[in-house]
């Protein structure tokens, strides 16, 4: 399994861990790492509590990782990444939107899929390619709560996180996390923004 | 008279505003075991508060009727190192796109010529490939494997 270049000391067993427990649609160059924290048991506990689960696919490609090279953030263009959502899953999501229920997205790729497929008050597109780049100022249409990991400085996932949580608050949280010795990036700790 | 705020907002959208210093030793080299024992920082946008929890506490933050949306993308190793079946010449292959089951478009770097019909062996012989076609630098390869293709990869 190819690991990110900044992970230099990974053992064979941790290489095998570089997938979510629910990984299914192959082709991604990197894992949607916010999902690493879920075990089968934890998903079961959530279901037992009455939390509903919907599945989308965004095949993580270079778009997510390409560095922003322009000092003016809005001049950056993201490479396209493929996404798809089964009709049954679209039904669950649209039902939730209609009932004004809470939608909790796991990871930046999930958010980008949902926001890309949304049009005229609902999820309207079952597959396509997206180059949606979310940075502060973006108005979220679908997602109410967000689970993510800690991201690289000046990266597109960090800008998305700041768009969702507010830059000052997010950077304050990063500082607190550093002071408390949180673990960062793909194999690192998690963040819940509500 | 309205004031156009957009240029002001844009001025703050500088990349350098999204920088922070991270001590290198905080880059996780191994995953947490078990998975849900990782730390969870909980940020409340309304209250502007920050709390420190463990990931499995997520159960307390989600309610009946909430919809959790996950991405089921699976990582696969796009780069394969192999050798020519007959000569043993090295082959460095990058998978680009799956055309149909076990049939891929790919880029190849290798020693000597790479012709249609060439057989390539990967790793411990569990995976074999045959070059079927070549067009403008892109090869198509058909894999044969001992077991499920994804698992062998």
């Amino acid at each position: 399994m190819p690991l990110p270049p900044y992970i230099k000391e990974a053992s064979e067993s941790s290489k095998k861990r570089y997938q979510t427990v629910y990984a299914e649609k192959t082709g991604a160059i990197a894992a949607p790492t916010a999902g690493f924290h879920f075990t089968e048991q934890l998903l079961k506990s959530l279901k037992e509590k009455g939390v509903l689960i919907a599945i989308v696919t965004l095949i993580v490609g270079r778009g997510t990782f390409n560095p922003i090279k322009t000092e003016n953030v809005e001049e950056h263009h993201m490479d396209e990444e493929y996404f798809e959502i089964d009709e049954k899953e679209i039904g669950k999501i649209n039902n939730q939107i209609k009932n004004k229920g809470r939608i909790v997205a796991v990871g930046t790729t999930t958010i980008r899929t949902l926001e890309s497929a949304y049009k005229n008050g609902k999820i309207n597109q079952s597959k396509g390619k997206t180059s949606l780049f979310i940075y502060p100022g973006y108005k979220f249409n679908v997602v109410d709560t967000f689970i993510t990991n800690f991201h690289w400085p000046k990266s597109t996932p960090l800008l998305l996180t700041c768009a969702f949580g507010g830059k000052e608050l997010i950077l304050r949280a990063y500082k607190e996390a550093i002071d408390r010795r949180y673990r960062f990036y793909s194999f690192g700790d998690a963040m819940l923004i509500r | 008279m309205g004031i156009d705020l957009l240029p002001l907002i844009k001025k703050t959208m500088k990349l350098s505003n999204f920088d922070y210093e991270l001590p290198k030793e905080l880059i996780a080299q191994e995953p947490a075991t078990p998975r849900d024992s990782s730390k969870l920082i909980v940020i409340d946008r309304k209250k502007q508060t920050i709390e420190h929890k463990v990931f499995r506490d997520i159960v307390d933050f989600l309610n009946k009727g909430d919809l959790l949306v996950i991405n089921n993308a699976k990582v696969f190793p796009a780069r394969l190192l192999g050798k020519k079946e007959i000569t043993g010449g090295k082959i460095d292959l990058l998978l680009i796109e799956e055309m149909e089951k076990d049939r891929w478009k790919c880029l190849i770097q290798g020693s000597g010529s790479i012709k249609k019909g060439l057989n390539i062996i990967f790793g411990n012989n569990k995976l074999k490939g045959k070059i079927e076609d070549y067009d403008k630098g892109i090869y198509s390869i058909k894999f044969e494997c001992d077991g499920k293709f994804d698992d062998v990869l």
Side-chain angles (χ1 to χ4, degrees):
Chain A
M1 201 58 66
L3 292 179
Y6 52 82
I7 296 176
K8 299 191 189 305
E9 300 156 21
S11 62
E12 280 307 308
S13 65
S14 63
K15 282 183 189 169
K16 281 179 190 152
R17 287 276 311 279
Y18 192 72
Q19 294 282 15
T20 59
V21 297
Y22 46 75
E24 195 185 326
K25 289 277 170 75
T26 195
I29 64 161
T33 55
F36 281 175
H37 311 285
F38 290 94
T39 61
E40 301 282 2
Q41 181 55 46
L42 184 58
L43 290 167
K44 193 164 160 258
S45 304
L46 288 169
K47 281 180 198 162
E48 280 165 7
K49 190 174 180 179
V51 173
L52 310 167
I53 294 176
I55 296 167
V56 301
T57 304
L58 182 138
I59 299 295
V60 185
R62 287 187 309 159
T64 297
F65 295 98
N66 279 349
I68 302 173
K69 289 180 177 157
T70 52
E71 175 60 9
N72 277 322
V73 163
E74 46 274 282
E75 286 170 22
H76 177 70
H77 295 285
M78 272 176 93
D79 276 5
E80 287 185 331
E81 290 168 304
Y82 176 79
F83 71 89
E84 62 180 39
I85 318 172
D86 286 353
E87 287 303 325
K88 191 177 146 220
E89 307 303 306
I90 290 178
K92 288 186 207 170
I93 299 161
N94 281 341
N95 205 33
Q96 195 74 353
I97 293 172
K98 200 174 81 189
N99 297 331
K100 297 191 162 50
R102 184 157 71 142
I103 294 180
V104 182
V106 179
T108 59
T109 54
T110 299
I111 283 209
R112 292 181 53 242
T113 304
L114 292 170
E115 298 290 326
S116 298
Y118 177 92
K119 203 181 172 188
N120 301 329
K122 61 179 183 178
I123 300 295
N124 245 318
Q125 197 182 346
S126 63
K127 63 173 122 178
K129 287 182 175 173
T130 180
S131 54
L132 178 64
F133 171 33
I134 298 179
Y135 53 88
Y138 180 86
K139 187 185 160 295
F140 290 86
N141 291 302
V142 184
V143 178
D144 307 292
T145 299
F146 180 34
I147 296 165
T148 192
N149 280 6
F150 290 89
H151 303 292
W152 279 85
K154 304 198 272 188
S155 64
T156 58
L158 177 62
L159 266 66
L160 186 156
T161 306
C162 288
F164 193 87
K167 182 166 82 74
E168 306 309 321
L169 185 58
I170 295 301
L171 293 182
R172 178 151 69 88
Y174 269 61
K175 192 173 178 309
E176 260 191 43
I178 290 167
D179 290 344
R180 289 175 181 248
R181 314 295 288 172
Y182 271 60
R183 299 163 72 248
F184 276 60
Y185 307 156
S186 293
F187 275 147
D189 293 314
M191 174 179 279
L192 172 75
I193 310 168
R194 54 180 186 151
Chain B
M1 285 210 298
I3 300 166
D4 186 6
L5 287 174
L6 203 58
L8 283 174
I9 293 168
K10 282 200 165 185
K11 263 186 194 158
T12 67
M13 258 335 100
K14 295 290 182 197
L15 190 59
S16 45
N17 291 337
F18 299 90
D19 203 1
Y20 68 92
E21 292 270 339
L22 182 71
K24 274 211 173 69
E25 68 272 17
L26 295 186
I27 299 176
Q29 298 292 324
E30 298 278 341
T33 305
R35 289 171 179 267
D36 58 3
S37 65
S38 41
K39 289 180 189 163
L40 179 69
I41 193 167
V42 179
I43 299 174
D44 191 308
R45 293 180 289 178
K46 238 182 222 160
K47 298 187 202 147
Q48 296 278 299
T49 55
I50 297 167
E51 284 179 275
H52 301 276
K53 301 281 180 182
V54 174
F55 194 80
R56 66 175 70 91
D57 299 336
I58 202 100
V59 178
D60 303 328
F61 290 94
L62 299 182
N63 302 318
K64 186 179 178 189
D66 286 351
L67 182 67
L68 184 75
V69 189
I70 57 181
N71 177 9
N72 70 350
K74 185 175 186 177
V75 185
F76 83 122
R79 187 168 174 228
L80 297 174
L81 298 175
K83 56 186 183 193
K84 295 180 184 177
E85 189 175 48
I86 297 172
T87 64
K90 280 183 187 163
I91 295 285
D92 186 342
L93 186 146
L94 194 69
L95 299 179
I96 302 172
E97 187 187 339
E98 188 175 24
M99 294 182 291
E100 55 190 85
K101 195 178 173 307
D102 300 345
R103 186 173 267 124
W104 288 76
K105 281 186 188 167
C106 63
L107 296 170
I108 298 183
Q109 282 190 318
S111 51
S113 68
I114 293 153
K115 290 188 178 129
K116 217 162 143 172
L118 176 72
N119 285 310
I120 304 169
I121 298 171
F122 298 94
N124 47 7
N125 275 343
K126 274 194 169 174
L127 185 66
K128 278 187 180 184
K130 190 188 198 80
I131 302 296
E132 292 193 324
D133 211 351
Y134 172 81
D135 183 34
K136 297 187 187 91
I138 310 273
Y139 293 85
S140 69
I141 184 166
K142 171 85 166 85
F143 290 106
E144 261 179 56
C145 59
D146 184 5
K148 206 177 154 219
F149 184 57
D150 283 1
D151 296 340
V152 172
L153 282 180

